[in-house]
Amino acid sequence: MVVTTMLTYIFPPPPSLFVTAMSVISFTSLASLGLSELRGKHLHYSKFWNSGSKTSAAKKIKLSSRTGMLIAYTPAFLAGVASFVLYPQENIRILLLCSALTIHFFKRIFEVLFVHSYSGGMILDSVLPISLSYFLSTATVTYAQYLTQGFPEPSVDLKYLGCLLFLIGISGNFYHHYLLSKIRSKGDKDYKIPKGGLFGLVICPHYLFEIVGFVGISLISQTLYAFSFTIGSALYLIGRSCATRRWYLSKFDHFPKNVKALIPFVL
């Protein structure tokens, strides 16, 4: 009964040990990272780039935030571009998926180069797993989609709803990244409480819209791997946003207690 219901919304899992293994690995690793964030063990970027033991951090390789983020996003962007060559664009679904992934990471690189204002750094030990995760997820979701060609389409077609959610997610994410970039004046490296947009309701609206964008990509794809990665990513971003809210509460005595971490009025 459960399998029949699932197959109404997703393609049958392809006979690929690699894709099956990656579905499990992506979900468990991302969910584990989210739990680590809640426990205070952070990936070293943004506000938490130098968290943990100062002695331990001093022994690690530090990169500028801009360099680190370019390393994190560029391989995934190239994987998105390569997908147009590697996989025949025989139907609209795979074309939409490859386009969404490529646009997503192009936007991220654009923001790194022209939008974001950085004040800290990144530790190489955090940059490499982030980069590998994005690259493998992009390569796997496009490969999994390619393997569905010839399979019957799910009874409920969600790809156009996915396109709408993807556009909402990427637009909302960009808008709130733009607001963050305008908080500090040139040369100012002190953190301030963000304002505008949904920042009056949640401290990480950019993460909220990132999740919306990932949900959109999953609905375009309608594969088990896409959903497993999206759910894992959502759990990670929940942990990261809760950790971010705790950070603001610890740094600013006047931080409004009614501002949630990720979901307005809820979380």
Side-chain angles (χ1 to χ4, degrees):
M1 179 67 179
V2 175
V3 174
T4 303
T5 302
M6 287 179 59
L7 292 179
T8 303
Y9 300 99
I10 66 172
F11 285 96
S16 168
L17 181 60
F18 170 74
V19 174
T20 302
M22 284 300 297
S23 298
V24 175
I25 291 170
S26 292
F27 172 78
T28 54
S29 60
L30 288 165
S32 177
L33 285 173
L35 186 59
S36 294
E37 292 286 340
L38 287 173
R39 291 174 173 173
K41 186 177 180 181
H42 309 294
L43 286 179
H44 294 91
Y45 67 93
S46 188
K47 298 166 184 64
F48 305 107
W49 78 269
N50 62 348
S51 64
S53 169
K54 300 295 184 182
T55 303
S56 174
K59 296 179 181 179
K60 297 181 179 180
I61 300 174
K62 177 189 172 183
L63 306 172
S64 71
S65 290
R66 204 173 305 277
T67 299
M69 288 301 183
L70 285 175
I71 293 173
Y73 298 143
T74 301
F77 169 69
L78 295 176
V81 172
S83 67
F84 289 99
V85 178
L86 293 174
Y87 308 123
Q89 309 295 305
E90 295 178 356
N91 61 56
I92 188 65
R93 188 184 296 274
I94 195 167
L95 176 62
L96 289 172
L97 177 66
C98 295
S99 299
L101 290 166
T102 305
I103 291 169
H104 174 78
F105 287 106
F106 173 80
K107 167 194 160 289
R108 290 198 167 192
I109 292 172
F110 177 85
E111 288 174 335
V112 170
L113 293 174
F114 303 110
V115 177
H116 291 313
S117 176
Y118 296 107
S119 60
M122 292 186 74
I123 301 299
L124 185 62
D125 288 359
S126 290
V127 173
L128 294 180
I130 293 171
S131 180
L132 183 62
S133 173
Y134 282 137
F135 172 77
L136 286 176
S137 64
T138 303
T140 304
V141 74
T142 51
Y143 177 60
Q145 198 68 50
Y146 170 71
L147 293 179
T148 66
Q149 297 195 78
F151 283 28
E153 286 274 329
S155 301
V156 179
D157 186 353
L158 299 173
K159 63 178 177 286
Y160 295 115
L161 174 60
C163 289
L164 176 61
L165 290 179
F166 172 72
L167 292 174
I168 291 172
I170 201 171
S171 300
N173 180 263
F174 178 82
Y175 173 65
H176 288 91
H177 278 167
Y178 173 77
L179 292 179
L180 284 172
S181 74
K182 297 301 179 184
I183 291 176
R184 294 188 292 252
S185 57
K186 189 173 182 179
D188 183 6
K189 295 191 175 184
D190 292 331
Y191 278 98
K192 296 177 175 62
I193 299 174
K195 296 180 180 179
L198 293 184
F199 281 115
L201 297 175
V202 294
I203 197 59
C204 294
H206 48 306
Y207 288 167
L208 174 61
F209 281 104
E210 187 168 352
I211 292 172
V212 171
F214 282 149
V215 170
I217 289 173
S218 293
L219 296 185
I220 293 171
S221 175
Q222 292 189 242
T223 59
L224 181 61
Y225 175 77
F227 283 109
S228 68
F229 176 79
T230 291
I231 295 170
S233 296
L235 292 174
Y236 167 69
L237 291 172
I238 287 171
R240 185 77 176 187
S241 61
C242 289
T244 300
R245 184 175 184 273
R246 283 202 304 261
W247 184 90
Y248 274 101
L249 285 168
S250 70
K251 296 293 182 182
F252 299 96
D253 294 334
H254 59 289
F255 182 81
K257 302 297 190 295
N258 63 304
V259 173
K260 300 295 185 179
L262 184 69
I263 303 173
F265 312 113
V266 178
L267 175 66

